[in-house]
PDB file of all heavy atoms in Angstrom:
ATOM      1  N   LEU W   1       0.828  -1.173   0.032  1.00 98.00           N
ATOM      2  CA  LEU W   1       0.014  -0.020   0.004  1.00 98.00           C
ATOM      3  C   LEU W   1       0.915   1.193   0.001  1.00 98.00           C
ATOM      4  O   LEU W   1       1.476   1.594   1.035  1.00 98.00           O
ATOM      5  CB  LEU W   1      -0.925  -0.052   1.237  1.00 98.00           C
ATOM      6  CG  LEU W   1      -1.699  -1.240   1.451  1.00 98.00           C
ATOM      7  CD1 LEU W   1      -2.370  -1.259   2.781  1.00 98.00           C
ATOM      8  CD2 LEU W   1      -2.775  -1.362   0.330  1.00 98.00           C
ATOM      9  N   GLY W   2       1.010   1.920  -1.141  1.00 98.00           N
ATOM     10  CA  GLY W   2       1.929   3.055  -1.255  1.00 98.00           C
ATOM     11  C   GLY W   2       2.183   3.460  -2.647  1.00 98.00           C
ATOM     12  O   GLY W   2       1.445   2.985  -3.595  1.00 98.00           O
ATOM     13  N   PRO W   3       3.168   4.265  -2.870  1.00 98.00           N
ATOM     14  CA  PRO W   3       3.498   4.751  -4.261  1.00 98.00           C
ATOM     15  C   PRO W   3       3.912   3.553  -5.076  1.00 98.00           C
ATOM     16  O   PRO W   3       4.978   2.833  -4.736  1.00 98.00           O
ATOM     17  CB  PRO W   3       4.654   5.742  -3.978  1.00 98.00           C
ATOM     18  CG  PRO W   3       4.586   6.114  -2.605  1.00 98.00           C
ATOM     19  CD  PRO W   3       4.059   4.929  -1.899  1.00 98.00           C
ATOM     20  N   ALA W   4       3.206   3.249  -6.179  1.00 98.00           N
ATOM     21  CA  ALA W   4       3.411   2.065  -6.917  1.00 98.00           C
ATOM     22  C   ALA W   4       4.858   1.963  -7.411  1.00 98.00           C
ATOM     23  O   ALA W   4       5.393   0.853  -7.394  1.00 98.00           O
ATOM     24  CB  ALA W   4       2.453   2.011  -8.133  1.00 98.00           C
ATOM     25  N   ALA W   5       5.431   2.988  -7.942  1.00 97.00           N
ATOM     26  CA  ALA W   5       6.757   2.980  -8.462  1.00 97.00           C
ATOM     27  C   ALA W   5       7.784   2.559  -7.452  1.00 97.00           C
ATOM     28  O   ALA W   5       8.731   1.722  -7.650  1.00 97.00           O
ATOM     29  CB  ALA W   5       7.183   4.274  -9.192  1.00 97.00           C
ATOM     30  N   GLN W   6       7.619   3.101  -6.237  1.00 97.00           N
ATOM     31  CA  GLN W   6       8.535   2.782  -5.160  1.00 97.00           C
ATOM     32  C   GLN W   6       8.354   1.376  -4.706  1.00 97.00           C
ATOM     33  O   GLN W   6       9.448   0.696  -4.469  1.00 97.00           O
ATOM     34  CB  GLN W   6       8.253   3.682  -3.970  1.00 97.00           C
ATOM     35  CG  GLN W   6       9.286   3.556  -2.825  1.00 97.00           C
ATOM     36  CD  GLN W   6       9.087   4.452  -1.609  1.00 97.00           C
ATOM     37  OE1 GLN W   6       9.589   4.218  -0.564  1.00 97.00           O
ATOM     38  NE2 GLN W   6       8.309   5.555  -1.802  1.00 97.00           N
ATOM     39  N   LEU W   7       7.110   0.888  -4.642  1.00 98.00           N
ATOM     40  CA  LEU W   7       6.965  -0.536  -4.257  1.00 98.00           C
ATOM     41  C   LEU W   7       7.586  -1.534  -5.312  1.00 98.00           C
ATOM     42  O   LEU W   7       8.212  -2.473  -4.943  1.00 98.00           O
ATOM     43  CB  LEU W   7       5.429  -0.812  -4.146  1.00 98.00           C
ATOM     44  CG  LEU W   7       4.664   0.053  -3.078  1.00 98.00           C
ATOM     45  CD1 LEU W   7       3.217  -0.426  -2.984  1.00 98.00           C
ATOM     46  CD2 LEU W   7       5.329  -0.001  -1.693  1.00 98.00           C
ATOM     47  N   ARG W   8       7.307  -1.131  -6.546  1.00 98.00           N
ATOM     48  CA  ARG W   8       7.879  -2.058  -7.601  1.00 98.00           C
ATOM     49  C   ARG W   8       9.369  -2.083  -7.604  1.00 98.00           C
ATOM     50  O   ARG W   8      10.008  -3.140  -7.911  1.00 98.00           O
ATOM     51  CB  ARG W   8       7.321  -1.683  -8.941  1.00 98.00           C
ATOM     52  CG  ARG W   8       5.830  -1.929  -9.089  1.00 98.00           C
ATOM     53  CD  ARG W   8       5.334  -1.623 -10.497  1.00 98.00           C
ATOM     54  NE  ARG W   8       3.902  -1.800 -10.627  1.00 98.00           N
ATOM     55  CZ  ARG W   8       3.039  -0.866 -10.806  1.00 98.00           C
ATOM     56  NH1 ARG W   8       3.423   0.446 -11.065  1.00 98.00           N
ATOM     57  NH2 ARG W   8       1.724  -1.103 -10.958  1.00 98.00           N
ATOM     58  N   ALA W   9      10.009  -0.926  -7.259  1.00 97.00           N
ATOM     59  CA  ALA W   9      11.467  -0.779  -7.171  1.00 97.00           C
ATOM     60  C   ALA W   9      12.050  -1.799  -6.115  1.00 97.00           C
ATOM     61  O   ALA W   9      13.220  -2.243  -6.230  1.00 97.00           O
ATOM     62  CB  ALA W   9      11.946   0.592  -6.880  1.00 97.00           C
ATOM     63  N   HIS W  10      11.175  -2.151  -5.149  1.00 98.00           N
ATOM     64  CA  HIS W  10      11.660  -3.083  -4.104  1.00 98.00           C
ATOM     65  C   HIS W  10      10.964  -4.470  -4.254  1.00 98.00           C
ATOM     66  O   HIS W  10      10.978  -5.288  -3.305  1.00 98.00           O
ATOM     67  CB  HIS W  10      11.288  -2.562  -2.700  1.00 98.00           C
ATOM     68  CG  HIS W  10      12.117  -1.343  -2.346  1.00 98.00           C
ATOM     69  ND1 HIS W  10      13.455  -1.386  -2.060  1.00 98.00           N
ATOM     70  CD2 HIS W  10      11.680   0.019  -2.284  1.00 98.00           C
ATOM     71  CE1 HIS W  10      13.823  -0.100  -1.778  1.00 98.00           C
ATOM     72  NE2 HIS W  10      12.800   0.686  -1.902  1.00 98.00           N
ATOM     73  N   ASP W  11      10.408  -4.739  -5.466  1.00 98.00           N
ATOM     74  CA  ASP W  11       9.775  -6.005  -5.750  1.00 98.00           C
ATOM     75  C   ASP W  11       8.594  -6.335  -4.849  1.00 98.00           C
ATOM     76  O   ASP W  11       8.450  -7.511  -4.415  1.00 98.00           O
ATOM     77  CB  ASP W  11      10.776  -7.127  -5.765  1.00 98.00           C
ATOM     78  CG  ASP W  11      11.848  -6.989  -6.890  1.00 98.00           C
ATOM     79  OD1 ASP W  11      11.464  -6.535  -7.990  1.00 98.00           O
ATOM     80  OD2 ASP W  11      13.024  -7.310  -6.629  1.00 98.00           O
ATOM     81  N   ILE W  12       7.862  -5.341  -4.446  1.00 98.00           N
ATOM     82  CA  ILE W  12       6.699  -5.486  -3.606  1.00 98.00           C
ATOM     83  C   ILE W  12       5.430  -5.410  -4.484  1.00 98.00           C
ATOM     84  O   ILE W  12       5.271  -4.425  -5.164  1.00 98.00           O
ATOM     85  CB  ILE W  12       6.696  -4.473  -2.487  1.00 98.00           C
ATOM     86  CG1 ILE W  12       7.844  -4.634  -1.524  1.00 98.00           C
ATOM     87  CG2 ILE W  12       5.386  -4.632  -1.648  1.00 98.00           C
ATOM     88  CD1 ILE W  12       7.962  -3.506  -0.498  1.00 98.00           C
ATOM     89  N   ALA W  13       4.559  -6.397  -4.403  1.00 97.00           N
ATOM     90  CA  ALA W  13       3.365  -6.373  -5.188  1.00 97.00           C
ATOM     91  C   ALA W  13       2.488  -5.270  -4.764  1.00 97.00           C
ATOM     92  O   ALA W  13       2.261  -5.061  -3.600  1.00 97.00           O
ATOM     93  CB  ALA W  13       2.637  -7.702  -5.109  1.00 97.00           C
ATOM     94  N   VAL W  14       1.908  -4.563  -5.695  1.00 98.00           N
ATOM     95  CA  VAL W  14       1.105  -3.408  -5.454  1.00 98.00           C
ATOM     96  C   VAL W  14      -0.390  -3.829  -5.128  1.00 98.00           C
ATOM     97  O   VAL W  14      -1.003  -4.334  -5.975  1.00 98.00           O
ATOM     98  CB  VAL W  14       1.100  -2.369  -6.519  1.00 98.00           C
ATOM     99  CG1 VAL W  14       0.240  -1.119  -6.237  1.00 98.00           C
ATOM    100  CG2 VAL W  14       2.541  -1.900  -6.783  1.00 98.00           C
ATOM    101  N   ALA W  15      -0.831  -3.636  -3.896  1.00 97.00           N
ATOM    102  CA  ALA W  15      -2.244  -3.908  -3.523  1.00 97.00           C
ATOM    103  C   ALA W  15      -3.124  -2.633  -3.798  1.00 97.00           C
ATOM    104  O   ALA W  15      -4.269  -2.779  -4.162  1.00 97.00           O
ATOM    105  CB  ALA W  15      -2.325  -4.379  -2.034  1.00 97.00           C
ATOM    106  N   ALA W  16      -2.514  -1.423  -3.532  1.00 98.00           N
ATOM    107  CA  ALA W  16      -3.222  -0.223  -3.793  1.00 98.00           C
ATOM    108  C   ALA W  16      -2.218   0.883  -4.025  1.00 98.00           C
ATOM    109  O   ALA W  16      -1.284   1.055  -3.202  1.00 98.00           O
ATOM    110  CB  ALA W  16      -4.187   0.186  -2.682  1.00 98.00           C
ATOM    111  N   ASP W  17      -2.366   1.560  -5.148  1.00 98.00           N
ATOM    112  CA  ASP W  17      -1.372   2.657  -5.416  1.00 98.00           C
ATOM    113  C   ASP W  17      -1.820   3.888  -4.670  1.00 98.00           C
ATOM    114  O   ASP W  17      -2.794   4.548  -5.030  1.00 98.00           O
ATOM    115  CB  ASP W  17      -1.407   2.918  -6.972  1.00 98.00           C
ATOM    116  CG  ASP W  17      -0.405   4.022  -7.379  1.00 98.00           C
ATOM    117  OD1 ASP W  17       0.387   4.434  -6.542  1.00 98.00           O
ATOM    118  OD2 ASP W  17      -0.478   4.521  -8.547  1.00 98.00           O
ATOM    119  N   LEU W  18      -1.063   4.222  -3.594  1.00 98.00           N
ATOM    120  CA  LEU W  18      -1.379   5.340  -2.747  1.00 98.00           C
ATOM    121  C   LEU W  18      -0.210   6.257  -2.687  1.00 98.00           C
ATOM    122  O   LEU W  18       0.733   6.087  -1.841  1.00 98.00           O
ATOM    123  CB  LEU W  18      -1.742   4.871  -1.354  1.00 98.00           C
ATOM    124  CG  LEU W  18      -3.049   3.974  -1.238  1.00 98.00           C
ATOM    125  CD1 LEU W  18      -3.187   3.428   0.148  1.00 98.00           C
ATOM    126  CD2 LEU W  18      -4.286   4.849  -1.631  1.00 98.00           C
ATOM    127  N   PRO W  19      -0.052   7.226  -3.626  1.00 98.00           N
ATOM    128  CA  PRO W  19       1.203   8.014  -3.709  1.00 98.00           C
ATOM    129  C   PRO W  19       1.486   8.867  -2.469  1.00 98.00           C
ATOM    130  O   PRO W  19       2.583   9.272  -2.298  1.00 98.00           O
ATOM    131  CB  PRO W  19       0.878   8.924  -4.960  1.00 98.00           C
ATOM    132  CG  PRO W  19      -0.567   8.909  -5.072  1.00 98.00           C
ATOM    133  CD  PRO W  19      -1.044   7.558  -4.657  1.00 98.00           C
ATOM    134  N   GLY W  20       0.464   9.102  -1.643  1.00 98.00           N
ATOM    135  CA  GLY W  20       0.688   9.965  -0.412  1.00 98.00           C
ATOM    136  C   GLY W  20       1.367   9.240   0.745  1.00 98.00           C
ATOM    137  O   GLY W  20       1.769   9.827   1.733  1.00 98.00           O
ATOM    138  N   VAL W  21       1.485   7.855   0.729  1.00 98.00           N
ATOM    139  CA  VAL W  21       2.098   7.161   1.771  1.00 98.00           C
ATOM    140  C   VAL W  21       3.540   7.533   1.896  1.00 98.00           C
ATOM    141  O   VAL W  21       4.309   7.386   0.940  1.00 98.00           O
ATOM    142  CB  VAL W  21       1.983   5.679   1.614  1.00 98.00           C
ATOM    143  CG1 VAL W  21       2.810   4.845   2.665  1.00 98.00           C
ATOM    144  CG2 VAL W  21       0.528   5.223   1.680  1.00 98.00           C
ATOM    145  N   GLY W  22       3.947   8.016   3.067  1.00 98.00           N
ATOM    146  CA  GLY W  22       5.357   8.416   3.345  1.00 98.00           C
ATOM    147  C   GLY W  22       5.599   9.863   2.998  1.00 98.00           C
ATOM    148  O   GLY W  22       6.701  10.451   3.349  1.00 98.00           O
ATOM    149  N   GLN W  23       4.679  10.548   2.304  1.00 98.00           N
ATOM    150  CA  GLN W  23       4.863  11.980   1.915  1.00 98.00           C
ATOM    151  C   GLN W  23       4.316  12.848   3.029  1.00 98.00           C
ATOM    152  O   GLN W  23       3.657  12.353   3.983  1.00 98.00           O
ATOM    153  CB  GLN W  23       4.261  12.288   0.573  1.00 98.00           C
ATOM    154  CG  GLN W  23       4.859  11.448  -0.552  1.00 98.00           C
ATOM    155  CD  GLN W  23       6.311  11.710  -0.761  1.00 98.00           C
ATOM    156  OE1 GLN W  23       6.769  12.772  -0.942  1.00 98.00           O
ATOM    157  NE2 GLN W  23       7.129  10.600  -0.647  1.00 98.00           N
ATOM    158  N   ASN W  24       4.545  14.154   2.949  1.00 98.00           N
ATOM    159  CA  ASN W  24       3.903  15.078   3.881  1.00 98.00           C
ATOM    160  C   ASN W  24       4.430  14.995   5.323  1.00 98.00           C
ATOM    161  O   ASN W  24       3.759  15.290   6.241  1.00 98.00           O
ATOM    162  CB  ASN W  24       2.408  14.959   3.907  1.00 98.00           C
ATOM    163  CG  ASN W  24       1.733  16.084   4.537  1.00 98.00           C
ATOM    164  OD1 ASN W  24       1.968  17.297   4.278  1.00 98.00           O
ATOM    165  ND2 ASN W  24       0.818  15.838   5.522  1.00 98.00           N
ATOM    166  N   LEU W  25       5.761  14.488   5.414  1.00 98.00           N
ATOM    167  CA  LEU W  25       6.341  14.381   6.748  1.00 98.00           C
ATOM    168  C   LEU W  25       6.564  15.837   7.308  1.00 98.00           C
ATOM    169  O   LEU W  25       7.150  16.617   6.767  1.00 98.00           O
ATOM    170  CB  LEU W  25       7.637  13.651   6.650  1.00 98.00           C
ATOM    171  CG  LEU W  25       8.459  13.625   8.004  1.00 98.00           C
ATOM    172  CD1 LEU W  25       7.696  12.989   9.114  1.00 98.00           C
ATOM    173  CD2 LEU W  25       9.801  12.884   7.762  1.00 98.00           C
ATOM    174  N   ILE W  26       5.845  16.028   8.481  1.00 98.00           N
ATOM    175  CA  ILE W  26       5.941  17.327   9.154  1.00 98.00           C
ATOM    176  C   ILE W  26       6.576  17.120  10.581  1.00 98.00           C
ATOM    177  O   ILE W  26       6.195  16.095  11.183  1.00 98.00           O
ATOM    178  CB  ILE W  26       4.562  17.975   9.306  1.00 98.00           C
ATOM    179  CG1 ILE W  26       3.735  17.737   8.103  1.00 98.00           C
ATOM    180  CG2 ILE W  26       4.672  19.490   9.618  1.00 98.00           C
ATOM    181  CD1 ILE W  26       2.236  17.952   8.406  1.00 98.00           C
ATOM    182  N   ASP W  27       7.461  17.962  10.987  1.00 98.00           N
ATOM    183  CA  ASP W  27       7.857  17.919  12.387  1.00 98.00           C
ATOM    184  C   ASP W  27       8.162  19.280  12.874  1.00 98.00           C
ATOM    185  O   ASP W  27       8.372  20.236  12.070  1.00 98.00           O
ATOM    186  CB  ASP W  27       9.116  17.009  12.381  1.00 98.00           C
ATOM    187  CG  ASP W  27       9.518  16.555  13.793  1.00 98.00           C
ATOM    188  OD1 ASP W  27       8.783  16.919  14.814  1.00 98.00           O
ATOM    189  OD2 ASP W  27      10.472  15.822  13.946  1.00 98.00           O
ATOM    190  N   HIS W  28       8.081  19.466  14.166  1.00 98.00           N
ATOM    191  CA  HIS W  28       8.492  20.752  14.741  1.00 98.00           C
ATOM    192  C   HIS W  28      10.001  20.860  14.963  1.00 98.00           C
ATOM    193  O   HIS W  28      10.593  20.053  15.665  1.00 98.00           O
ATOM    194  CB  HIS W  28       7.861  20.885  16.175  1.00 98.00           C
ATOM    195  CG  HIS W  28       6.384  21.111  16.179  1.00 98.00           C
ATOM    196  ND1 HIS W  28       5.492  20.428  17.013  1.00 98.00           N
ATOM    197  CD2 HIS W  28       5.544  21.907  15.386  1.00 98.00           C
ATOM    198  CE1 HIS W  28       4.304  20.820  16.851  1.00 98.00           C
ATOM    199  NE2 HIS W  28       4.292  21.676  15.816  1.00 98.00           N
ATOM    200  N   PRO W  29      10.603  21.802  14.256  1.00 98.00           N
ATOM    201  CA  PRO W  29      12.002  21.976  14.478  1.00 98.00           C
ATOM    202  C   PRO W  29      12.327  22.761  15.699  1.00 98.00           C
ATOM    203  O   PRO W  29      11.595  23.716  16.027  1.00 98.00           O
ATOM    204  CB  PRO W  29      12.497  22.740  13.224  1.00 98.00           C
ATOM    205  CG  PRO W  29      11.315  23.550  12.841  1.00 98.00           C
ATOM    206  CD  PRO W  29      10.084  22.761  13.225  1.00 98.00           C
ATOM    207  N   GLU W  30      13.386  22.420  16.401  1.00 97.00           N
ATOM    208  CA  GLU W  30      13.756  23.099  17.596  1.00 97.00           C
ATOM    209  C   GLU W  30      15.306  23.533  17.444  1.00 97.00           C
ATOM    210  O   GLU W  30      16.057  22.744  16.903  1.00 97.00           O
ATOM    211  CB  GLU W  30      13.505  22.419  18.870  1.00 97.00           C
ATOM    212  CG  GLU W  30      14.449  21.265  19.208  1.00 97.00           C
ATOM    213  CD  GLU W  30      14.329  20.765  20.619  1.00 97.00           C
ATOM    214  OE1 GLU W  30      13.211  20.579  21.122  1.00 97.00           O
ATOM    215  OE2 GLU W  30      15.371  20.524  21.174  1.00 97.00           O
ATOM    216  N   VAL W  31      15.630  24.637  18.127  1.00 97.00           N
ATOM    217  CA  VAL W  31      17.038  25.130  18.167  1.00 97.00           C
ATOM    218  C   VAL W  31      17.304  25.684  19.580  1.00 97.00           C
ATOM    219  O   VAL W  31      16.485  26.381  20.013  1.00 97.00           O
ATOM    220  CB  VAL W  31      17.283  26.207  17.065  1.00 97.00           C
ATOM    221  CG1 VAL W  31      18.753  26.745  17.223  1.00 97.00           C
ATOM    222  CG2 VAL W  31      17.063  25.666  15.644  1.00 97.00           C
ATOM    223  N   PRO W  32      18.392  25.254  20.174  1.00 96.00           N
ATOM    224  CA  PRO W  32      18.653  25.723  21.540  1.00 96.00           C
ATOM    225  C   PRO W  32      19.360  27.130  21.624  1.00 96.00           C
ATOM    226  O   PRO W  32      20.079  27.558  20.706  1.00 96.00           O
ATOM    227  CB  PRO W  32      19.618  24.654  22.067  1.00 96.00           C
ATOM    228  CG  PRO W  32      20.367  24.210  20.817  1.00 96.00           C
ATOM    229  CD  PRO W  32      19.445  24.344  19.664  1.00 96.00           C
ATOM    230  N   ILE W  33      19.141  27.752  22.763  1.00 96.00           N
ATOM    231  CA  ILE W  33      19.840  28.922  23.170  1.00 96.00           C
ATOM    232  C   ILE W  33      20.313  28.584  24.554  1.00 96.00           C
ATOM    233  O   ILE W  33      19.636  28.186  25.435  1.00 96.00           O
ATOM    234  CB  ILE W  33      19.069  30.218  23.223  1.00 96.00           C
ATOM    235  CG1 ILE W  33      18.263  30.440  21.934  1.00 96.00           C
ATOM    236  CG2 ILE W  33      19.937  31.376  23.595  1.00 96.00           C
ATOM    237  CD1 ILE W  33      17.221  31.609  22.027  1.00 96.00           C
ATOM    238  N   THR W  34      21.694  28.615  24.787  1.00 94.00           N
ATOM    239  CA  THR W  34      22.238  28.191  26.063  1.00 94.00           C
ATOM    240  C   THR W  34      23.179  29.231  26.686  1.00 94.00           C
ATOM    241  O   THR W  34      23.973  29.902  25.985  1.00 94.00           O
ATOM    242  CB  THR W  34      22.997  26.877  25.829  1.00 94.00           C
ATOM    243  OG1 THR W  34      22.125  25.865  25.277  1.00 94.00           O
ATOM    244  CG2 THR W  34      23.539  26.316  27.164  1.00 94.00           C
ATOM    245  N   ALA W  35      23.030  29.348  28.031  1.00 95.00           N
ATOM    246  CA  ALA W  35      23.860  30.261  28.762  1.00 95.00           C
ATOM    247  C   ALA W  35      24.331  29.604  30.053  1.00 95.00           C
ATOM    248  O   ALA W  35      23.661  28.774  30.689  1.00 95.00           O
ATOM    249  CB  ALA W  35      23.127  31.542  29.080  1.00 95.00           C
ATOM    250  N   TYR W  36      25.544  30.017  30.513  1.00 95.00           N
ATOM    251  CA  TYR W  36      26.026  29.599  31.779  1.00 95.00           C
ATOM    252  C   TYR W  36      25.494  30.591  32.818  1.00 95.00           C
ATOM    253  O   TYR W  36      25.211  31.751  32.540  1.00 95.00           O
ATOM    254  CB  TYR W  36      27.533  29.581  31.782  1.00 95.00           C
ATOM    255  CG  TYR W  36      28.208  28.612  30.898  1.00 95.00           C
ATOM    256  CD1 TYR W  36      29.182  29.001  30.048  1.00 95.00           C
ATOM    257  CD2 TYR W  36      27.748  27.271  30.941  1.00 95.00           C
ATOM    258  CE1 TYR W  36      29.761  28.104  29.162  1.00 95.00           C
ATOM    259  CE2 TYR W  36      28.381  26.325  30.069  1.00 95.00           C
ATOM    260  CZ  TYR W  36      29.321  26.740  29.208  1.00 95.00           C
ATOM    261  OH  TYR W  36      29.854  25.765  28.377  1.00 95.00           O
ATOM    262  N   ALA W  37      25.314  30.091  33.996  1.00 95.00           N
ATOM    263  CA  ALA W  37      24.678  30.856  35.164  1.00 95.00           C
ATOM    264  C   ALA W  37      25.821  31.493  35.974  1.00 95.00           C
ATOM    265  O   ALA W  37      26.912  31.064  36.048  1.00 95.00           O
ATOM    266  CB  ALA W  37      23.822  30.040  36.060  1.00 95.00           C
ATOM    267  N   THR W  38      25.398  32.573  36.738  1.00 96.00           N
ATOM    268  CA  THR W  38      26.374  33.263  37.593  1.00 96.00           C
ATOM    269  C   THR W  38      26.452  32.568  38.976  1.00 96.00           C
ATOM    270  O   THR W  38      27.335  32.912  39.749  1.00 96.00           O
ATOM    271  CB  THR W  38      25.835  34.711  37.838  1.00 96.00           C
ATOM    272  OG1 THR W  38      24.501  34.665  38.337  1.00 96.00           O
ATOM    273  CG2 THR W  38      25.890  35.542  36.473  1.00 96.00           C
ATOM    274  N   GLY W  39      25.601  31.620  39.216  1.00 94.00           N
ATOM    275  CA  GLY W  39      25.591  30.927  40.511  1.00 94.00           C
ATOM    276  C   GLY W  39      25.146  29.488  40.393  1.00 94.00           C
ATOM    277  O   GLY W  39      24.939  29.005  39.272  1.00 94.00           O
TER     278      GLY W  39
END
């Protein structure tokens, strides 16, 4: 179940061609700000 071309590239029989499987990956990016303390 997934993008047919990608499945066939791995010799997986296609049960349903669903091009959106694995796409649209979203994540919250984070970046630190760091300081040393006076005490």
Side-chain angles (χ1 to χ4, degrees):
L1 307 169
Q6 187 181 161
L7 301 185
R8 291 185 182 116
H10 294 290
D11 295 322
I12 297 172
V14 179
D17 181 10
L18 297 172
V21 172
Q23 299 302 299
N24 192 51
L25 173 60
I26 323 164
D27 198 356
H28 287 137
E30 73 167 46
V31 176
I33 309 171
T34 303
Y36 295 129
T38 57

